[in-house]
Amino acid sequence: MAPTQNTICSKHVAVIGAGAAGLVTARELRREGHTVVVFDREKQVGGLWNYSFKADSDPLSLDTTRTIVHTSIYESLRTNLPRECMGFTDFPFVPRIHDISRDSRRYPSHREVLAYLQDFAREFKIEEMVRFETEVVCVEPVNGKWSVRSKNSVGFAAHEIFDAVVVCSGHFTEPNVAHIPGIKSWPGKQIHSHNYRVPGPFNNEVVVVIGNYASGADISRDIAKVAKEVHIASRASESDTYQKLPVPQNNLWVHSEIDFAHQDGSILFKNGKVVYADTIVHCTGYKYYFPFLETNGYININENRVEPLYKHVFLPALAPSLSFIGLPGMAIQFVMFEIQSKWVAAVLSGRVILPSQDKMMEDIIEWYATLDVLGIPKRHTHKLGKISCEYLNWIAEECHCSPVENWRIQEVERGFQRMVSHPEIYRDEWDDDDLMEEAYKDFARKKLISSHPSYFLES
């Protein structure tokens, strides 16, 4: 465990973003004794959970001059994790059973997640730290501190100096679009899932959806309610894959990857099947993108790897005054934000000490070498998968906080198994009541809920 020092320092810290990551980071920084200013371009907290029917002016989000909408939420979206394992560790995401405006389902809608984040912000008085409708346009190091330039919705520009900056702006606004041979001459429409909202525009169309993970699986089924046919192109499938899926409309198929898009409107899959499609929907993820950040070349994004970062958080050359919250891809995002932000707050105060710059670089180089040996491409550097809990527990030990609860880990694992095996029903039928009971008993034992666990379990 990293040694600590006796002198505790209070820093003036800028937090960029008031989504889940920015909210919990602001709380942890203030708890540690720092002064905090949170910048967010929206009118309220919640980040990407602020649903809007509006979308980017370019459906593929490739035009650099496009009007950008900073949310990727679609109307029908429900969580793909049980609510009790989603929430922050000391503010459980429990249902408000007697509030008819709230969604008490175990896998609630995006509106319930936003309401939870708003509850969190009110409980910990975070909104008083937020400058709403304020966009950060430039962040750069100046004489050992950080210059932050921003502008608000009426065009007022501000220039301020901070001791540290924590980037919590997320990575769901710069879409990654699949490369499809022949696509330039293909005559149909294309859209990225970032700009998908409702299935209506696909009425009676033949639609190809690229990607079959969380958003791809959801959106393809949503579109299938109104489309003539929906064909999923899955990179994870074998080249001869051709499977009809059991949906009520009987119009959904899974294929292998697309081989070629032809000028006559046809799409050839690697399994040899051909469909004449009206629209391609790219459910192909996002790129890391920080257009406001100027670090004089200290940080780069190389094949979607943000480098070099120590434990995906600190840039060694500028540590600890610049840090990132929320880069790794893992299921329990909110808990990751919380544990990472506890570490950042403790390091900034001096209560926890980072290794030397050289030692951090050695660790990064060793990590990259391990990925190379395992054949993991650069673009997956921040996808931690099975080592997610090991990673979080390492950080938790560094900052002297509790490890991830075992029930939470098991809920994620069993929930993922259900999602894969029963994608149509996993949100409404489950087989882990034992874990749900353990979670609520844990909340009661820690005095995080005022009602007996049976109040929630029997409702």
Side-chain angles (χ1 to χ4, degrees):
M1 184 177 294
T4 60
Q5 63 184 31
N6 294 324
T7 304
I8 303 299
C9 301
S10 175
K11 300 290 178 65
H12 186 43
V13 186
V15 174
I16 303 175
L23 294 176
V24 74
T25 296
R27 185 190 70 169
E28 295 303 327
L29 287 167
R30 187 163 63 180
R31 279 180 167 178
E32 192 74 18
H34 305 294
T35 60
V36 184
V37 176
V38 183
F39 297 87
D40 197 273
R41 54 170 64 92
E42 300 296 331
K43 296 180 179 180
Q44 62 179 1
V45 301
L48 70 87
W49 294 100
N50 279 297
Y51 173 78
S52 172
F53 67 89
K54 296 179 181 178
D56 287 9
S57 55
D58 171 16
L60 270 183
S61 298
L62 295 177
D63 183 354
T64 57
T65 64
R66 72 189 185 277
T67 301
I68 299 175
V69 175
H70 296 275
T71 182
S72 301
I73 298 295
Y74 41 95
E75 172 62 31
S76 65
L77 186 144
R78 290 172 63 186
T79 68
N80 57 15
L81 286 176
R83 65 190 304 149
E84 59 270 12
C85 71
M86 272 188 68
F88 299 118
T89 61
D90 60 356
F91 192 76
F93 188 14
V94 298
R96 304 294 179 99
I97 295 169
H98 295 299
D99 184 345
I100 61 172
S101 69
R102 301 291 289 267
D103 183 350
S104 62
R105 292 175 295 181
R106 194 182 184 203
Y107 288 77
S109 72
H110 57 85
R111 291 180 177 84
E112 177 70 4
V113 181
L114 177 61
Y116 166 75
L117 293 175
Q118 292 170 335
D119 290 343
F120 179 84
R122 280 191 295 269
E123 176 71 18
F124 297 101
K125 297 179 172 59
I126 297 169
E127 288 186 341
E128 64 191 36
M129 293 185 274
V130 183
R131 292 185 191 165
F132 293 108
E133 297 185 88
T134 302
E135 180 181 4
V136 172
V137 294
C138 184
V139 173
E140 58 184 340
V142 177
N143 300 324
K145 294 186 181 290
W146 288 88
S147 163
V148 176
R149 297 181 185 273
S150 62
K151 64 178 180 180
N152 65 17
S153 58
V154 296
F156 178 78
H159 178 210
E160 299 161 272
I161 300 296
F162 292 86
D163 297 311
V165 173
V166 188
V167 179
C168 303
S169 54
H171 46 90
F172 294 99
T173 58
E174 190 67 15
N176 181 57
V177 175
H179 170 69
I180 304 171
I183 195 64
K184 288 185 178 180
S185 59
W186 184 73
K189 297 173 292 185
Q190 296 185 75
I191 182 175
H192 191 277
S193 60
H194 171 68
N195 297 307
Y196 176 79
R197 297 294 181 266
V198 293
F202 304 92
N203 185 52
N204 205 36
E205 287 191 354
V206 175
V207 180
V208 172
V209 175
I210 303 177
N212 195 27
Y213 192 55
S215 63
D218 271 358
I219 290 173
S220 61
R221 287 162 174 80
D222 203 26
I223 292 174
K225 297 172 185 175
V226 302
K228 182 179 179 181
E229 297 176 5
V230 178
H231 298 265
I232 300 172
S234 173
R235 183 165 59 184
S237 299
E238 298 295 329
S239 59
D240 60 349
T241 297
Y242 182 62
Q243 178 186 3
K244 195 169 191 177
L245 298 181
V247 296
Q249 298 77 20
N250 199 35
N251 63 347
L252 181 61
W253 290 263
V254 175
H255 301 255
S256 50
E257 289 184 274
I258 294 174
D259 187 61
F260 204 89
H262 291 276
Q263 192 171 0
D264 64 357
S266 64
I267 301 289
L268 171 65
F269 296 91
K270 289 188 176 179
N271 60 11
K273 302 294 182 181
V274 175
V275 300
Y276 287 83
D278 300 290
T279 302
I280 294 174
V281 181
H282 295 254
C283 297
T284 46
Y286 296 83
K287 301 174 184 177
Y288 295 101
Y289 184 59
F290 310 103
F292 53 82
L293 199 55
E294 297 287 347
T295 62
N296 301 321
Y298 282 118
I299 193 165
N300 295 288
I301 300 177
N302 182 3
E303 295 180 33
N304 221 30
R305 171 194 281 174
V306 185
E307 60 183 20
L309 288 182
Y310 178 63
K311 307 301 184 185
H312 310 273
V313 175
F314 290 106
L315 179 65
L318 298 171
S321 65
L322 177 66
S323 56
F324 295 80
I325 300 296
L327 293 194
M330 64 176 69
I332 45 175
Q333 288 275 299
F334 289 11
V335 173
M336 175 183 67
F337 301 157
E338 182 179 355
I339 292 176
Q340 287 181 327
S341 63
K342 287 179 184 291
W343 188 31
V344 169
V347 169
L348 286 175
S349 72
R351 186 167 59 83
V352 173
I353 308 301
L354 290 174
S356 68
Q357 179 178 336
D358 288 345
K359 289 291 186 183
M360 286 191 282
M361 284 304 303
E362 287 177 14
D363 184 274
I364 294 167
I365 291 168
E366 182 179 342
W367 168 243
Y368 291 169
T370 299
L371 296 179
D372 288 342
V373 169
L374 295 173
I376 297 174
K378 284 184 180 180
R379 68 178 184 275
H380 291 164
T381 296
H382 303 296
K383 293 185 178 180
L384 300 189
K386 294 181 179 179
I387 67 167
S388 295
C389 288
E390 177 185 338
Y391 166 80
L392 291 178
N393 288 339
W394 183 91
I395 295 178
E397 185 176 359
E398 286 291 295
C399 56
H400 316 290
C401 63
S402 300
V404 181
E405 307 94 332
N406 188 56
W407 61 261
R408 198 182 298 263
I409 298 169
Q410 289 188 58
E411 277 202 351
V412 170
E413 291 175 350
R414 285 166 64 174
F416 177 75
Q417 291 168 4
R418 288 196 306 275
M419 181 174 70
V420 172
S421 60
H422 302 289
E424 314 297 334
I425 60 173
Y426 77 97
R427 291 181 172 96
D428 298 305
E429 297 180 18
W430 53 82
D431 58 0
D432 62 345
D433 284 346
D434 57 320
L435 295 176
M436 185 162 54
E437 181 177 357
E438 186 177 349
Y440 281 97
K441 286 183 176 179
D442 188 33
F443 298 155
R445 185 168 53 251
K446 295 173 180 174
K447 296 182 169 53
L448 299 175
I449 54 176
S450 56
S451 300
H452 192 273
S454 61
Y455 170 78
F456 299 99
L457 298 170
E458 295 172 4
S459 298

